[in-house]
Amino acid sequence: MNILIFGPNGSGKGTQGALVKKKYDLAHIESGAIFREHIGGGTELGKQAKAFIERGDLVPDDITIPMVLETLKSKGANGWLLDGFPRNMVQAQKLWDALQAEGMKLDYVIEILLPREVAKNRIMGRRLCKNDNNHPNNIFIDAIKPNGDVCRVCGGELSARSDDQDEGAIGKRHDIYYNTVDGTLAAAYFYKDLAAKGMTKYIELDGEGAIDAIKDKLLAQLS
Ligand code: AMP
């Protein structure tokens, strides 16, 4: 099964993606993670991409597109979940052309819908537990509100990630995501149009619910 997943930063896309990946045993191909690996490994590609990523800009298409298509071919033979790509119209079109050329099917496109203001609050509300990164705490989400100012799971000390508090950087990323002319939502709608022509299936999920409820709705529609 081959799947594309769209959702703004703060929508729970990573969490839902991980659940789907596990259930269908897919290769989870995340463009941002591939860049981070290259930067960590000090590769030429990593050096080229670093400055763009640090500014919160998109890495140019001539670096990003071949990198992702190569990874799809090398790691995705038994099904993939592509996350973080495409992020603009050029990438959307190039991906579709490449899939056609390779005879690869795109089974589902998932879009997690979340209003921009809600997404921003969710990011700014995230708190990290000193004892365990996986203890979920968010001052703006009722289901996972901290216990006073300590971790709701273990009572550990909480802190906020500095990049989660950077409104300028959050705004820049959301400008790209919510752009319906040539940004990421335009890319998502490119596939929505293809779905209307029967060429793939498009699943819209309300991202405001609880993680489990969203997961159940999603899994019920995939199969
Ligand atoms: P992410 O982890 O998905 O938020 O990606 C981190 C950063 O990697 C982004 O802010 C971009 O600078 C870069 N990046 C990831 N995916 C893409 C893409 N499809 N096109 C261009 N740049 C990307």
Side-chain angles (χ1 to χ4, degrees):
M1 189 184 290
N2 298 331
I3 305 177
L4 276 186
I5 186 162
F6 290 96
N9 194 240
S11 66
K13 172 171 63 91
T15 309
Q16 298 300 337
L19 294 166
V20 169
K21 171 217 137 116
K22 196 165 162 216
K23 164 134 196 208
Y24 294 99
D25 196 18
L26 305 174
H28 195 178
I29 299 176
E30 296 178 74
S31 47
I34 305 174
F35 281 128
R36 285 187 285 278
E37 271 168 34
H38 276 280
I39 293 173
T43 68
E44 189 50 39
L45 193 151
K47 283 181 198 147
Q48 290 171 356
K50 193 164 185 264
F52 295 98
I53 293 179
E54 281 173 353
R55 284 198 302 271
D57 290 330
L58 289 185
V59 178
D61 286 342
D62 59 342
I63 301 176
T64 308
I65 295 173
M67 177 188 85
V68 172
L69 296 182
E70 217 23 71
T71 312
L72 270 188
K73 274 199 242 170
S74 60
K75 297 202 176 146
N78 297 319
W80 43 261
L81 174 77
L82 183 53
D83 182 342
F85 184 98
R87 266 184 161 86
N88 61 34
M89 275 306 273
V90 175
Q91 295 182 0
Q93 181 72 59
K94 286 264 159 81
L95 174 65
W96 184 248
D97 293 346
L99 294 179
Q100 304 300 101
E102 294 292 324
M104 269 193 208
K105 208 167 153 234
L106 178 59
D107 298 282
Y108 293 99
V109 179
I110 301 164
E111 181 195 348
I112 303 183
L113 296 103
L114 197 68
R116 182 167 174 157
E117 202 50 34
V118 178
K120 179 182 147 194
N121 279 342
R122 281 198 179 178
I123 296 167
M124 299 197 73
R126 282 201 284 236
R127 295 294 178 269
L128 288 182
C129 171
K130 192 177 98 188
N131 299 329
D132 188 335
N133 264 339
N134 292 319
H135 287 171
N137 288 275
N138 193 308
I139 61 172
F140 292 124
I141 301 178
D142 283 341
I144 53 170
K145 261 206 177 106
N147 189 2
D149 56 6
V150 296
C151 174
R152 51 185 282 280
V153 181
C154 70
E157 197 181 306
L158 294 176
S159 64
R161 245 169 58 183
S162 62
D163 54 338
D164 281 352
Q165 303 307 306
D166 183 343
E167 285 198 64
I170 296 168
K172 211 165 180 181
R173 294 169 66 113
H174 281 163
D175 281 347
I176 298 171
Y177 185 81
Y178 288 97
N179 176 339
T180 55
V181 177
D182 53 11
T184 307
L185 275 185
Y189 297 163
F190 170 88
Y191 292 98
K192 200 173 180 177
D193 287 345
L194 291 175
K197 295 179 193 145
M199 296 161 97
T200 185
K201 293 195 192 78
Y202 198 86
I203 299 173
E204 287 176 324
L205 289 173
D206 176 1
E208 290 198 71
I211 291 173
D212 271 352
I214 300 174
K215 181 192 89 181
D216 291 346
K217 273 190 204 146
L218 175 55
L219 294 183
Q221 291 182 75
L222 293 175
S223 54

